[in-house]
Amino acid sequence: AIVCVFGYLIMNNVSTADLIGSSGDNATKMLSSSKGGVMVQYPSEWVLSESTSNSSVIALAKSDSIDSSKVGQVTINVEKQPIEGSFDSFINKTYTAMQHDSSGQVLINDKNATEYVYTSDVGGVVKEHKAIWFDKGDQAYVVLYSAPIDKFNENLNSFNYILENMQIGA
Protein backbone atom coordinates (compact mmCIF):
# COMPACT_ATOMS: atom_id res chain seq x y z
CA ALA A 1 0.00 0.00 0.00
CA ILE A 2 1.21 3.49 -0.79
CA VAL A 3 0.00 6.40 1.30
CA CYS A 4 0.59 10.05 0.42
CA VAL A 5 0.37 12.40 3.38
CA PHE A 6 1.34 16.07 3.22
CA GLY A 7 3.79 15.49 0.36
CA TYR A 8 5.47 12.49 1.93
CA LEU A 9 5.25 9.08 0.28
CA ILE A 10 5.29 6.21 2.74
CA MET A 11 5.67 2.68 1.39
CA ASN A 12 4.55 -0.18 3.58
CA ASN A 13 5.36 -3.77 2.75
CA VAL A 14 4.66 -4.08 -0.96
CA SER A 15 4.13 -7.84 -1.18
CA THR A 16 4.53 -10.43 -3.89
CA ALA A 17 0.70 -10.73 -3.86
CA ASP A 18 0.51 -7.07 -4.96
CA LEU A 19 2.64 -7.99 -7.98
CA ILE A 20 0.66 -11.03 -9.10
CA GLY A 21 -2.84 -10.20 -7.91
CA SER A 22 -4.80 -11.95 -5.22
CA SER A 23 -5.42 -15.20 -7.11
CA GLY A 24 -1.84 -16.41 -6.72
CA ASP A 25 -2.36 -19.00 -9.47
CA ASN A 26 0.61 -17.73 -11.47
CA ALA A 27 3.14 -17.62 -8.65
CA THR A 28 5.85 -15.08 -9.37
CA LYS A 29 9.35 -16.31 -8.59
CA MET A 30 11.55 -13.69 -6.96
CA LEU A 31 15.20 -13.41 -7.99
CA SER A 32 18.00 -11.38 -6.45
CA SER A 33 21.24 -9.83 -7.59
CA SER A 34 23.98 -7.95 -5.78
CA LYS A 35 26.59 -5.68 -7.32
CA GLY A 36 28.56 -2.60 -6.27
CA GLY A 37 27.05 -2.46 -2.77
CA VAL A 38 23.47 -2.71 -4.05
CA MET A 39 21.26 -5.77 -3.57
CA VAL A 40 17.92 -6.02 -5.39
CA GLN A 41 15.10 -8.53 -5.35
CA TYR A 42 12.97 -8.58 -8.49
CA PRO A 43 10.16 -10.61 -10.12
CA SER A 44 11.22 -13.30 -12.59
CA GLU A 45 9.48 -11.37 -15.42
CA TRP A 46 12.41 -8.94 -15.14
CA VAL A 47 15.96 -9.63 -16.33
CA LEU A 48 19.35 -8.13 -15.64
CA SER A 49 20.30 -5.83 -18.51
CA GLU A 50 22.97 -3.43 -19.65
CA SER A 51 22.75 0.33 -19.19
CA THR A 52 24.23 3.07 -21.34
CA SER A 53 25.02 5.06 -18.17
CA ASN A 54 28.60 4.84 -16.89
CA SER A 55 27.22 5.38 -13.35
CA SER A 56 24.98 2.30 -13.50
CA VAL A 57 25.41 -0.34 -10.78
CA ILE A 58 22.46 -2.63 -11.60
CA ALA A 59 20.05 -2.41 -14.53
CA LEU A 60 16.82 -4.39 -14.97
CA ALA A 61 14.38 -4.62 -17.88
CA LYS A 62 10.94 -6.20 -18.04
CA SER A 63 11.55 -9.20 -20.29
CA ASP A 64 8.45 -8.69 -22.45
CA SER A 65 9.46 -5.06 -23.11
CA ILE A 66 12.76 -5.83 -24.85
CA ASP A 67 12.54 -4.71 -28.46
CA SER A 68 14.19 -6.11 -31.61
CA SER A 69 17.36 -4.09 -30.95
CA LYS A 70 17.57 -5.77 -27.49
CA VAL A 71 16.76 -2.54 -25.63
CA GLY A 72 14.33 -2.72 -22.70
CA GLN A 73 11.50 -0.21 -22.91
CA VAL A 74 10.40 -0.78 -19.27
CA THR A 75 13.51 -0.42 -17.12
CA ILE A 76 14.84 0.12 -13.61
CA ASN A 77 18.38 1.40 -13.30
CA VAL A 78 20.33 1.91 -10.06
CA GLU A 79 23.16 4.42 -10.37
CA LYS A 80 25.82 5.62 -7.94
CA GLN A 81 27.57 8.97 -8.32
CA PRO A 82 30.02 10.88 -6.12
CA ILE A 83 28.40 13.96 -4.57
CA GLU A 84 29.99 17.30 -5.35
CA GLY A 85 28.83 19.91 -2.82
CA SER A 86 25.63 19.29 -0.85
CA PHE A 87 23.30 16.42 -1.73
CA ASP A 88 20.34 18.76 -2.41
CA SER A 89 22.29 21.08 -4.71
CA PHE A 90 23.83 18.06 -6.48
CA ILE A 91 20.47 16.51 -7.41
CA ASN A 92 18.74 19.85 -8.02
CA LYS A 93 21.49 20.68 -10.54
CA THR A 94 20.56 17.46 -12.39
CA TYR A 95 17.00 18.70 -12.94
CA THR A 96 17.56 22.47 -13.31
CA ALA A 97 17.43 22.43 -17.12
CA MET A 98 14.75 19.71 -17.24
CA GLN A 99 11.05 20.30 -16.79
CA HIS A 100 9.73 17.82 -14.23
CA ASP A 101 6.14 17.06 -13.30
CA SER A 102 6.74 16.83 -9.56
CA SER A 103 9.41 16.57 -6.92
CA GLY A 104 9.52 16.23 -3.17
CA GLN A 105 10.72 14.40 -0.12
CA VAL A 106 9.67 10.77 0.34
CA LEU A 107 10.19 8.16 3.04
CA ILE A 108 11.19 4.67 1.86
CA ASN A 109 11.78 2.05 4.58
CA ASP A 110 12.38 4.83 7.13
CA LYS A 111 15.05 6.36 4.86
CA ASN A 112 14.70 9.90 3.56
CA ALA A 113 14.84 10.22 -0.19
CA THR A 114 14.05 12.78 -2.88
CA GLU A 115 11.66 11.93 -5.72
CA TYR A 116 11.42 13.43 -9.19
CA VAL A 117 8.74 12.46 -11.73
CA TYR A 118 9.08 13.61 -15.35
CA THR A 119 8.42 12.65 -18.96
CA SER A 120 10.67 12.50 -22.00
CA ASP A 121 10.15 12.18 -25.74
CA VAL A 122 12.97 10.41 -27.57
CA GLY A 123 12.34 9.58 -31.20
CA GLY A 124 8.58 9.83 -30.76
CA VAL A 125 8.50 7.42 -27.78
CA VAL A 126 7.05 9.28 -24.78
CA LYS A 127 8.20 7.79 -21.48
CA GLU A 128 7.37 8.57 -17.88
CA HIS A 129 10.20 8.42 -15.35
CA LYS A 130 10.35 8.23 -11.57
CA ALA A 131 13.73 8.88 -9.93
CA ILE A 132 14.27 8.21 -6.22
CA TRP A 133 17.53 9.67 -4.82
CA PHE A 134 19.28 8.51 -1.64
CA ASP A 135 22.16 10.27 0.15
CA LYS A 136 24.78 7.78 1.40
CA GLY A 137 27.69 9.85 2.76
CA ASP A 138 29.71 11.12 -0.19
CA GLN A 139 27.70 9.07 -2.72
CA ALA A 140 24.31 9.72 -4.31
CA TYR A 141 22.27 6.69 -5.34
CA VAL A 142 19.35 7.03 -7.75
CA VAL A 143 16.79 4.35 -8.59
CA LEU A 144 15.31 5.31 -11.94
CA TYR A 145 12.14 3.68 -13.28
CA SER A 146 11.27 4.40 -16.93
CA ALA A 147 8.42 3.13 -19.08
CA PRO A 148 6.35 4.22 -22.06
CA ILE A 149 3.37 6.26 -20.78
CA ASP A 150 0.90 3.42 -21.51
CA LYS A 151 3.04 0.87 -19.56
CA PHE A 152 4.05 3.06 -16.58
CA ASN A 153 1.20 2.40 -14.13
CA GLU A 154 0.90 -1.32 -14.87
CA ASN A 155 4.56 -1.86 -13.86
CA LEU A 156 4.58 0.53 -10.88
CA ASN A 157 3.92 -2.28 -8.35
CA SER A 158 7.05 -4.10 -9.53
CA PHE A 159 9.11 -0.90 -9.17
CA ASN A 160 7.69 -0.29 -5.68
CA TYR A 161 8.47 -3.90 -4.65
CA ILE A 162 12.05 -3.64 -5.94
CA LEU A 163 12.50 -0.27 -4.21
CA GLU A 164 11.01 -1.51 -0.93
CA ASN A 165 13.28 -4.59 -0.86
CA MET A 166 16.51 -2.97 -2.08
CA GLN A 167 19.57 -2.71 0.13
CA ILE A 168 22.07 0.04 -0.62
CA GLY A 169 25.58 0.22 0.79
CA ALA A 170 25.26 -2.81 3.04
Side-chain angles (χ1 to χ4, degrees):
I2 298 175
V3 180
C4 247
V5 181
F6 302 109
Y8 284 90
L9 175 76
I10 301 169
M11 295 182 59
N12 293 315
N13 303 323
V14 176
S15 69
T16 306
D18 292 332
L19 299 176
I20 61 176
S22 56
S23 69
D25 295 339
N26 300 325
T28 296
K29 181 178 179 184
M30 300 311 287
L31 305 173
S32 66
S33 183
S34 182
K35 185 177 173 188
V38 176
M39 194 280 293
V40 295
Q41 292 180 0
Y42 56 95
S44 58
E45 296 85 35
W46 291 73
V47 295
L48 290 171
S49 64
E50 296 297 318
S51 171
T52 55
S53 169
N54 292 334
S55 302
S56 182
V57 177
I58 292 180
L60 299 168
K62 182 125 186 236
S63 58
D64 66 4
S65 80
I66 299 172
D67 64 20
S68 58
S69 60
K70 300 191 176 171
V71 174
Q73 296 302 307
V74 179
T75 60
I76 296 172
N77 189 32
V78 181
E79 296 184 12
K80 177 170 89 171
Q81 301 172 20
I83 297 174
E84 298 167 10
S86 78
F87 176 71
D88 289 337
S89 65
F90 175 77
I91 60 173
N92 287 339
K93 185 171 53 173
T94 302
Y95 296 95
T96 300
M98 180 190 309
Q99 184 171 351
H100 51 277
D101 299 330
S102 67
S103 65
Q105 296 299 305
V106 294
L107 193 62
I108 313 272
N109 285 340
D110 297 327
K111 293 180 185 82
N112 289 319
T114 303
E115 174 186 85
Y116 281 86
V117 177
Y118 58 96
T119 56
S120 67
D121 185 340
V122 179
V125 177
V126 179
K127 287 189 169 184
E128 189 166 351
H129 309 273
K130 182 182 273 200
I132 307 290
W133 289 84
F134 296 94
D135 180 0
K136 293 289 279 183
D138 61 348
Q139 299 289 314
Y141 288 82
V142 62
V143 184
L144 177 62
Y145 166 51
S146 299
I149 293 275
D150 62 335
K151 302 283 185 200
F152 188 84
N153 286 335
E154 75 184 58
N155 292 290
L156 201 50
N157 278 345
S158 292
F159 170 70
N160 289 337
Y161 179 88
I162 291 165
L163 190 62
E164 176 83 9
N165 291 284
M166 180 178 302
Q167 295 177 10
I168 296 177

